Amino acid sequence: MIQNLLFLIFGTVTGTITGLIPGIHPNTIIPISIVLFPYFGSSNYFSFLIGLLISHYFLNYITSAFIGVPDDESAVAAVPMHNLTILGRGYEAVVLAGFGAFFGIIFSILIFMIISTINIDFYSFYSNLKPFIPYILILFMVISIIFSKSRVWTTLIILFSGILGIIVFYKNPSFDYSLTVIFTGMFGIPLLFENLNKKELGSQFISFPEIKFSYLKSAIFGTFGGFLRIFIPATGGAQMNYFLSKLIKEENLENFIISQGSITLSNELFSILAIMMIGTGRSGVSEAIKSLKIEYVTSELFANVTIATGLSFLILTVVSKYFLQNINKFDYGQISKVLIVFCTILMIILSFKTYMVYHIVIYLVSISIGILCVKKRVNLSNMMGVLIFPTILYFLKI
């Protein structure tokens, strides 16, 4: 166990670094890390993967909140977190997301322990749910349009992003980094453009937020969303975030951020548990565990996840505080310019050997849709049509 702990800590440190680099996703790192598998051994590599996964998503809240460049799983939460940062509450934003993630892990473990004692046929449940999924997705989009402030532009943004999604994910072969290219273009670059004229982030109040009972309710709701994710193939945590954004009032930024932190981490844990529950994984890490035939028991998984969550939350509070105390020493607009160039170069590198021109075009189209969404003040969550449209077609078998 002590040896496993060392590899867990190594994974946590690695995830801390990748989480702070815009445009990097665990699915980008995992194929590279597989070369370590023969040297680490099955058990140690498993601990390394868990540490990397958990810490990456915790630390990614910093780039989402302070700079506005999210990971694809935290894209919908990026705007509320960035809005709090502009109000001088950036530290509160990342700590709330961290609380949500922490509670999401705890509640996920409790939910799994409860359902494991109940004889539930999940295969039958999924079979009964499957025919209704496309209509549920359509209903969410209709609700989004009805309650939007600009129905015309909301409809157009949903259609534009949906058409792009159909072309990339349904009509043509997609790759592990295709989603990273699209989400960086849609959610990251447009917000960086908005920051170009800012000289500094502004004064920040660094203090722990007061924990409210409503935060626990939001975390439970988010955890339930993460659980539902395992029954919906061809969808990701970002889509579940989209659904929650329509069910939770976004005016309450604190509760919204808590729920997003919860669903992101519970989503990842349930994705691994899906191997055991329905025989298939729902994430890059779970697929790596399955393909490498890594055997584990739930007690080992929960021990690794709990330790990694505690370490990651501690690192998040320290690094975010240091970040906020020093960021105003630099020109915020120049930081945005550097990140725009960096993200663009990274997208080119990721697709260099596989349809580079194709992915550059996708990247530019995604940026265009994102800029239009920002300029017309349409909720950025409506760009999740890029995933919802191809998912609807998948289930309808069109």
Side-chain angles (χ1 to χ4, degrees), residues 92-138:
E92 179 183 353
V94 295
V95 170
L96 286 174
F99 274 138
F102 181 83
F103 290 141
I105 290 295
I106 300 301
F107 291 143
S108 296
I109 294 174
L110 292 176
I111 288 175
F112 181 80
M113 292 175 64
I114 292 172
I115 63 178
S116 63
T117 61
I118 304 173
N119 187 19
I120 300 177
D121 187 350
F122 289 106
Y123 289 98
S124 297
F125 174 77
Y126 174 67
S127 297
N128 294 328
L129 176 66
K130 190 174 181 179
F132 300 99
I133 289 176
Y135 306 104
I136 293 173
L137 300 181
I138 293 172

Side-chain angles (χ1 to χ4, degrees), residues 316-378:
L316 174 68
T317 59
V318 174
V319 173
S320 59
K321 182 181 294 186
Y322 177 82
F323 196 101
L324 285 176
Q325 289 173 338
N326 292 277
I327 192 172
N328 283 332
K329 295 179 181 178
F330 305 93
D331 188 308
Y332 196 65
Q334 290 299 320
I335 293 176
S336 297
K337 288 180 182 178
V338 170
L339 287 175
I340 290 172
V341 174
F342 173 79
C343 289
T344 302
I345 293 175
L346 181 61
M347 297 305 106
I348 294 174
I349 293 174
L350 288 175
S351 59
F352 185 74
K353 292 185 178 180
T354 312
Y355 301 105
M356 182 179 71
V357 175
Y358 170 68
H359 280 96
I360 290 176
V361 173
I362 292 173
Y363 183 57
L364 294 176
V365 173
S366 300
I367 292 174
S368 301
I369 296 174
I371 291 175
L372 181 64
C373 191
V374 171
K375 294 299 182 181
K376 296 301 179 179
R377 299 187 182 279
V378 175

Side-chain angles (χ1 to χ4, degrees), residues 76 144 187 242 245-246 250 378-385:
V76 178
S144 176
F187 294 94
Y242 173 83
S245 72
K246 303 308 169 191
E250 294 190 32
V378 175
N379 193 309
L380 269 65
S381 65
N382 290 298
M383 288 190 290
M384 292 308 301

Side-chain angles (χ1 to χ4, degrees), residues 9-25:
I9 293 173
F10 179 46
T12 302
V13 173
T14 304
T16 297
I17 297 171
T18 61
L20 291 172
I21 301 176
I24 295 293
H25 187 276

Side-chain angles (χ1 to χ4, degrees), residues 252-297:
N252 190 331
L253 294 182
E254 296 86 352
N255 284 69
F256 181 76
I257 292 170
I258 286 280
S259 70
Q260 302 312 292
S262 175
I263 194 173
T264 298
L265 268 294
S266 63
N267 192 356
E268 292 302 322
L269 180 55
F270 280 122
S271 294
I272 298 174
L273 291 170
I275 300 174
M276 186 181 305
M277 297 173 68
I278 60 176
T280 183
R282 294 296 191 213
S283 68
V285 169
S286 61
E287 287 300 326
I289 293 172
K290 184 179 179 181
S291 63
L292 293 172
K293 298 180 179 179
I294 298 175
E295 297 182 357
Y296 68 91
V297 294

Side-chain angles (χ1 to χ4, degrees), residues 144-145 148 150-159 378 382:
S144 176
I145 294 172
S148 64
S150 177
R151 295 177 182 176
V152 173
W153 282 111
T154 298
T155 303
L156 289 174
I157 292 298
I158 291 175
L159 287 176
V378 175
N382 290 298

Side-chain angles (χ1 to χ4, degrees), residues 64-113:
S64 297
F66 302 161
I67 304 174
V69 184
D71 186 277
D72 58 11
E73 294 289 342
S74 59
V76 178
V79 175
M81 292 175 68
H82 196 56
N83 288 342
L84 278 187
T85 302
I86 293 174
L87 295 174
R89 299 164 60 189
Y91 189 71
E92 179 183 353
V94 295
V95 170
L96 286 174
F99 274 138
F102 181 83
F103 290 141
I105 290 295
I106 300 301
F107 291 143
S108 296
I109 294 174
L110 292 176
I111 288 175
F112 181 80
M113 292 175 64

